[in-house]
Amino acid sequence: MMKELMVRAIYCEMLGYGVSFSYIHAIKLAQQGNVLEKRVGYLAVSLFLNESHELLLLLVNTVLKDLQSTNLIEVCMALTVVSQMFPKDMIPAILPLVEEKLNHPKEIIRRKAVLALYKFYLIAPNQVQHIHNKFRKALCDKDPGVMSASLHIYLQLIQVNPEGYKDLASSFVTILKQVVGGKLPMDFNYHSVPAPWLQIHLLRILSLLGKNDQR
């Protein structure tokens, strides 16, 4: 019943009506429901609250618990919320768990972990300085989704310090050649063009690395 009511609350919020009374129930649904109810609860929380909302602190323990779950769906939901919105002050509490997920056997978990770390870098870059080597591992991941997710982080890092990543120029060129050569799955193609957004990302990175450097 609560799940259906929460869906209606989401619809009302999207129409512009105030449904602040339901925010706490969205958090409770994410905390206490079964997998489907948790999914609706997490969705509602991500739509209702922003990173500075005081109620978000009530969700921290739930995210911690779900990140340690053996249920892949629960881990995915927790990583999705973390990558969309999470209190800056609480990042140290979950950072080790998100780091662990970079070595997860399932590629979707590794991809979501990279996106969560990208979010952390945007809001608190100093807190992820120590795991730059793990970004390199993600760049070399056998799954193209994980690799492409890591390019978001590298574009930000290289904008700040291009000299520190020139040793990766050959890796980016190799990836670009593989993309242009159609080595990626067909899912990445857009109107028969091989992964155009990925190509643009790589070209931006290479333009930053090659600026004022003839070699």
Side-chain angles (χ1 to χ4, degrees):
M1 181 65 178
M2 182 57 74
K3 175 169 62 72
E4 283 76 16
L5 291 173
M6 195 54 60
V7 171
R8 286 169 171 78
I10 291 172
Y11 183 60
C12 291
E13 177 89 359
M14 291 169 63
L15 292 176
Y17 296 100
V19 293
S20 57
F21 62 88
S22 67
Y23 293 178
I24 187 67
H25 297 290
I27 289 175
K28 287 180 179 178
L29 199 60
Q31 290 173 334
Q32 301 166 359
N34 58 37
V35 171
L36 186 55
E37 289 171 338
K38 283 175 77 72
R39 191 171 186 175
V40 173
Y42 270 129
L43 173 63
V45 167
S46 66
L47 292 171
F48 291 159
L49 308 183
N50 55 46
E51 291 165 1
S52 59
H53 200 288
E54 57 187 10
L55 285 178
L56 202 56
L57 292 173
L58 299 176
L59 199 66
V60 172
N61 285 336
T62 304
V63 170
L64 282 168
K65 185 183 74 173
D66 288 343
L67 284 175
Q68 298 174 75
S69 173
T70 55
N71 187 316
L72 289 179
I73 297 175
E74 290 183 351
V75 178
C76 280
M77 289 189 292
L79 286 171
T80 299
V81 166
V82 165
S83 63
Q84 290 178 345
M85 40 172 268
F86 203 75
K88 181 179 177 180
D89 296 340
M90 293 291 107
I91 288 176
I94 65 164
L95 184 56
L97 290 172
V98 177
E99 283 184 57
E100 285 179 14
K101 298 299 179 282
L102 291 174
N103 299 316
H104 199 279
K106 289 291 185 181
E107 58 275 3
I108 188 171
I109 300 293
R110 297 198 304 275
R111 182 164 70 246
K112 287 181 178 292
V114 170
L115 292 173
L117 291 172
Y118 171 59
K119 176 67 173 182
F120 293 169
Y121 178 80
L122 291 179
I123 62 177
N126 293 335
Q127 297 193 29
V128 294
Q129 292 289 346
H130 65 289
I131 56 173
H132 283 192
N133 286 337
K134 295 187 178 181
F135 296 157
R136 294 186 178 228
K137 185 178 180 181
L139 183 66
C140 301
D141 197 281
K142 61 184 178 182
D143 182 75
V146 179
M147 176 273 294
S148 61
S150 72
L151 294 180
H152 293 286
I153 296 175
Y154 274 109
L155 183 57
Q156 296 293 329
L157 292 172
I158 291 168
Q159 284 175 340
V160 175
N161 177 27
E163 294 297 326
Y165 300 93
K166 287 202 171 182
D167 61 312
L168 289 174
S170 59
S171 298
F172 292 124
V173 171
T174 301
I175 294 171
L176 183 59
K177 286 180 178 178
Q178 290 176 343
V179 173
V180 174
K183 303 295 185 184
L184 267 60
M186 293 293 291
D187 295 345
F188 284 81
N189 290 2
Y190 182 74
H191 288 283
S192 302
V193 179
W197 315 122
L198 196 54
Q199 289 191 51
I200 292 170
H201 241 88
L202 287 162
L203 290 171
R204 283 177 177 168
I205 287 171
L206 290 169
S207 70
L208 291 167
L209 291 175
K211 189 176 182 181
N212 300 322
D213 188 332
Q214 185 61 38
R215 182 179 63 82

